Amino acid sequence: MFRNKNESIVYKCTVRLLEDADILECEFQSFHRGSYLVEYICEQLEINEKDYFGLRYVDASKQRHWLDLGKSIIKQCKDIDPFLFSFRVKFYPADPFRLTGNGRLMLYQQLKRDLRHGRLYCSIGEAAALGSLIVQEELGDYDEVVHIGDYVSSLNLALRQTEALEKKIMDLHKKRQPYQDSSVAMDEFMGIARGLETYGIDPHPVKDHRGSQLYIGINYSGISTFVSGKRSQHFRWNEVHKLNFEGKMFIAHLSYTDASREPKKHTIGFKCSSNATCRYLWRCAIEQMLFFTLPNSQHAAVVSGGGFFSWGTKFKYTGRTEREILTESINALRKQKMTNSEASKRKASSVPATPSSPQGDLAQIRYSSLPRSTMSEPLGNCHMATTDSLGNIVYSNHPHDVMGGGGAVQIPSLEPVSEEARLRASSNLDNLHQSIASIGNGGEAGEYYLKGDAIEYSAPECAAINNLCEGRLSHQSTKNKRNEYHSYGQQHQVAYASACPTVSDASKSATQGKGVENQYDRQNAANCAKGVRKFRFLNAFIPSFLFVIFAMTVSAVVILESESEIFERIRNMPEMISLRYQYYQPLKEYVLQKFGRKS
């Protein structure tokens, strides 16, 4: 009655292969993604180049879709019953001979299917040549005894298979060289097919700005438009700057250089039969562009489509790109060559050594062969540093003898200063900086003498300190609300006048004075912060958003309603045309109708 959440349901699906009679039954679970089903089918068919293939299905509204490899199968096909998929070539490679084994065989079957359904559109002569190769691959060499009459009519070779076409196919089949392998005919077929303009094209019916019917085809080279089976326009991928859609309008932003080598930008739009068809066309174009242009799938960002006034669509490319596939194949060939070369070296190393082979340590030979540097400084010019008994740093020009404590010490020429001397020097320097910093709070002094833990000053120094303390306290007395600090400064001044203080006492008084001053500054900062008004994000965002909406609405109304030549170019943009006929015009009629009723 109740199902466990961890228990997964097993679903069954049917996959139609490239030959209509071939069917494969598969199973998947609710957590499986589209990549699981594609990889399973490729493993069953022993296809190595699985990235060129995909699964296509038709939803309840009779709209075709490619199964997304990165999303759950059950979420994509939730309105399909039963689960029926078609295994097809999704990305036609520029060179079909890159595929090997069963992958090349599947590509050949896909091209035959394209010829039968009219997608691989070509002339009568090209169709006859392709048909003769199919007959050679399926029936073998021409035999007068077996192949009699109209033996080609039983084969479904082309979409418009007339008697004239069948006669040409039979004539070419008779002229074929006998005893040819079927793989030769397949390779020749793919060689002719890849040279056609409609190679790898799945035509999408659209209309241009004039309302003329045409077809859009997308393959490895770019986007093409076809009129009556002939290519009328072609936009290469390096010319396509951005792809987008708005409602039923498929929009391509182009950037190219004309004959005068000047960079130009152009926007072209095509109208589809429905919003779902337009979204499907946009997604096919995005997938083809990313697969054939990206260096690797890590550079694939989330692509968003759909305008401001339509439901947006986000797409994330999943899988490898063609450059990744080619790079991996090249690296595999290099590894194979390296293994072959290593095997040959091992065979050569197994030969016994001859008397002429060098004897001795190889490391010594390599070391002795290294060049000597001529840019190094002689050791006689190096200076060594140490400290004397008072902690002063002393430099010596003799690297081997360093005087310290009245005796000579022998050290290596490249050995640094001893750690003990370094620590003693650094501690003296720290004491020096601390004493100067503490004196700087109450005044400045010149010379000092070491005596115990404190520093005593001479009479001129005490006078200088007293003068500086007087100046500091007079400056502090001008400030308001600092009576405590002022009285403390007077006491500090009396103490300096009576007797010269030590550095430790001066530092303590300075730090106490600083503490009072910092406490006063904190109180002022807190009082100022109370008067500052808190920033609220919504108070700033909502008015700005409403202002932007109002400005965009007014601008759209002005552009669409005015007949000025200034906005002529903007009004003819595909986005503005789509906005006018899909949103602005119906809304305008609705408002006028409501207003007319009230009046």
Side-chain angles (χ1 to χ4, degrees):
M1 182 175 179
F2 297 99
R3 186 183 292 109
N4 189 6
K5 293 182 179 180
N6 298 326
E7 183 182 356
S8 180
I9 306 174
V10 178
Y11 299 92
K12 293 183 179 181
C13 65
T14 304
V15 180
R16 294 186 299 185
L17 302 181
L18 292 166
E19 294 292 341
D20 293 331
D22 298 336
I23 293 176
L24 187 64
E25 299 290 340
C26 303
E27 293 181 354
F28 64 92
Q29 297 181 1
S30 57
F31 58 86
H32 283 149
R33 300 178 182 268
S35 58
Y36 166 79
L37 205 54
V38 174
E39 290 176 359
Y40 175 77
I41 296 171
C42 290
E43 288 179 0
Q44 295 296 319
L45 300 177
E46 297 180 355
I47 298 175
N48 296 326
E49 300 85 359
K50 60 184 179 180
D51 300 279
Y52 290 96
F53 299 88
L55 291 174
R56 180 181 283 167
Y57 65 95
V58 181
D59 60 7
S61 60
K62 305 301 180 182
Q63 176 61 47
R64 295 187 302 174
H65 299 278
W66 284 103
L67 189 65
D68 196 335
L69 303 180
K71 294 183 179 179
S72 174
I73 302 173
I74 195 65
K75 288 183 179 180
Q76 298 180 67
C77 311
K78 55 186 176 181
D79 58 344
I80 301 176
D81 189 23
F83 294 107
L84 180 62
F85 300 99
S86 299
F87 183 73
R88 300 288 182 264
V89 176
K90 189 175 183 180
F91 305 107
Y92 290 76
D95 184 8
F97 301 106
R98 291 173 183 171
L99 304 184
T100 59
N102 289 340
R104 186 182 297 184
L105 177 61
M106 292 297 162
L107 179 59
Y108 168 71
Q109 293 181 0
Q110 179 69 66
L111 292 173
K112 284 199 306 180
R113 188 180 183 87
D114 294 343
L115 183 63
R116 287 197 302 266
H117 290 81
R119 287 188 292 268
L120 191 63
Y121 189 85
C122 54
S123 62
I124 296 176
E126 293 168 340
L130 294 173
S132 64
L133 292 170
I134 295 174
V135 173
Q136 177 70 28
E137 184 265 331
E138 292 185 2
L139 303 181
D141 297 334
Y142 175 75
D143 191 353
E144 296 179 355
V145 178
V146 177
H147 304 137
I148 56 175
D150 194 5
Y151 63 94
V152 179
S153 60
S154 60
L155 300 176
N156 187 10
L157 301 175
L159 179 63
R160 298 175 182 177
Q161 189 170 335
T162 61
E163 293 182 0
L165 179 61
E166 291 178 355
K167 187 177 180 180
K168 287 185 178 181
I169 291 173
M170 288 187 292
D171 293 340
L172 292 175
H173 183 226
K174 291 177 182 179
K175 296 177 182 179
R176 296 284 306 176
Q177 188 176 1
Y179 306 108
Q180 280 189 350
D181 191 28
S182 60
S183 61
V184 177
M186 291 170 51
D187 294 344
E188 191 174 347
F189 179 92
M190 289 188 289
I192 297 174
R194 72 170 179 175
L196 300 176
E197 292 180 347
T198 54
Y199 169 73
I201 292 297
D202 186 13
H204 301 266
V206 295
K207 292 183 180 181
D208 59 2
H209 63 284
R210 299 171 185 169
S212 302
Q213 182 69 39
L214 50 88
Y215 294 90
I216 288 182
I218 308 163
N219 61 358
Y220 67 91
S221 61
I223 302 174
S224 304
T225 59
F226 296 89
V227 179
S228 299
K230 294 183 180 180
R231 186 164 65 183
S232 58
Q233 291 177 316
H234 180 62
F235 311 109
R236 299 186 178 276
W237 288 127
N238 55 2
E239 298 174 353
V240 178
H241 177 66
K242 183 182 178 182
L243 296 173
N244 200 359
F245 71 94
E246 176 65 40
K248 299 179 182 179
M249 189 72 66
F250 174 72
I251 305 167
H253 301 268
L254 308 174
S255 58
Y256 59 95
T257 55
D258 57 358
S260 60
R261 295 183 179 180
E262 293 183 358
K264 289 188 176 181
K265 293 184 178 181
H266 182 60
T267 303
I268 188 169
F270 303 95
K271 189 175 182 180
C272 301
S273 59
S274 62
N275 295 350
T277 306
C278 185
R279 189 181 296 107
Y280 172 70
L281 173 59
W282 170 79
R283 179 160 178 168
C284 290
I286 288 292
E287 282 187 298
Q288 294 281 337
M289 183 177 66
L290 296 179
F291 179 80
F292 289 108
T293 58
L294 281 182
N296 52 61
S297 57
Q298 295 179 354
H299 292 79
V302 178
V303 182
S304 59
F308 182 78
F309 296 98
S310 64
W311 293 102
T313 303
K314 293 184 178 180
F315 172 73
K316 179 69 169 67
Y317 180 79
T318 306
R320 297 186 301 174
T321 61
E322 190 180 39
R323 292 189 186 181
E324 285 183 299
I325 299 169
L326 298 178
T327 303
E328 289 182 4
S329 61
I330 292 171
N331 293 335
L333 291 176
R334 288 178 180 175
K335 289 181 179 179
Q336 187 177 1
K337 290 182 180 180
M338 290 177 63
T339 53
N340 294 335
S341 61
E342 288 177 0
S344 60
K345 287 180 181 179
R346 288 173 184 173
K347 290 181 180 179
S349 62
S350 62
V351 179
T354 59
S356 60
S357 57
Q359 301 292 333
D361 191 3
L362 290 176
Q364 185 177 1
I365 295 172
R366 295 191 185 110
Y367 178 76
S368 61
S369 63
L370 292 175
R372 298 296 187 268
S373 176
T374 58
M375 301 300 292
S376 59
E377 187 180 359
L379 296 175
N381 295 331
C382 63
H383 302 278
M384 303 300 293
T386 184
T387 54
D388 56 4
S389 60
L390 295 177
N392 298 323
I393 301 173
V394 179
Y395 295 91
S396 175
N397 292 330
H398 300 285
H400 295 283
D401 297 329
V402 179
M403 299 301 297
V409 181
Q410 298 291 333
I411 61 173
S413 59
L414 296 179
E415 186 175 348
V417 182
S418 62
E419 189 70 21
E420 215 175 296
R422 191 189 308 165
L423 292 174
R424 189 164 61 248
S426 62
S427 63
N428 292 333
L429 288 174
D430 293 340
N431 293 333
L432 175 61
H433 290 308
Q434 291 178 2
S435 60
I436 292 174
S438 61
I439 295 172
N441 294 327
E444 294 182 356
E447 302 175 353
Y448 62 93
Y449 300 94
L450 295 174
K451 184 178 180 182
D453 295 333
I455 301 176
E456 295 184 357
Y457 296 87
S458 58
E461 294 169 350
C462 291
I465 292 171
N466 293 333
N467 294 332
L468 289 172
C469 290
E470 290 175 0
R472 182 181 178 92
L473 293 173
S474 63
H475 176 70
Q476 295 293 336
S477 61
T478 58
K479 296 182 180 180
N480 297 327
K481 299 181 181 181
R482 297 194 180 184
N483 296 327
E484 296 180 0
Y485 181 68
H486 181 66
S487 61
Y488 179 80
Q490 289 179 351
Q491 295 176 3
H492 196 59
Q493 183 180 4
V494 172
Y496 269 113
S498 60
C500 183
T502 60
V503 174
S504 58
D505 297 335
S507 61
K508 290 180 181 178
S509 60
T511 53
Q512 291 177 359
K514 277 188 177 181
V516 177
E517 184 178 357
N518 292 336
Q519 185 178 1
Y520 181 75
D521 292 338
R522 290 195 201 99
Q523 293 178 357
N524 289 337
N527 295 331
C528 294
K530 291 179 181 178
V532 177
R533 184 179 180 183
K534 292 184 179 180
F535 175 77
R536 296 184 181 277
F537 178 75
L538 293 178
N539 294 340
F541 174 75
I542 293 176
S544 302
F545 179 75
L546 294 177
F547 175 76
V548 171
I549 295 296
F550 177 76
M552 290 176 63
T553 305
V554 172
S555 301
V557 171
V558 171
I559 292 172
L560 294 175
E561 293 294 338
S562 66
E563 297 180 357
S564 175
E565 296 180 355
I566 300 174
F567 305 113
E568 184 67 23
R569 186 176 179 182
I570 301 176
R571 283 195 297 268
N572 293 332
M573 293 178 63
E575 293 89 345
M576 298 302 295
I577 295 173
S578 177
L579 175 64
R580 174 191 286 272
Y581 291 105
Q582 294 187 20
Y583 301 100
Y584 179 74
Q585 199 68 25
L587 183 62
K588 178 181 175 182
E589 294 177 357
Y590 176 78
V591 172
L592 291 177
Q593 185 179 4
K594 289 290 184 181
F595 181 76
R597 286 181 180 178
K598 290 182 179 180
S599 61

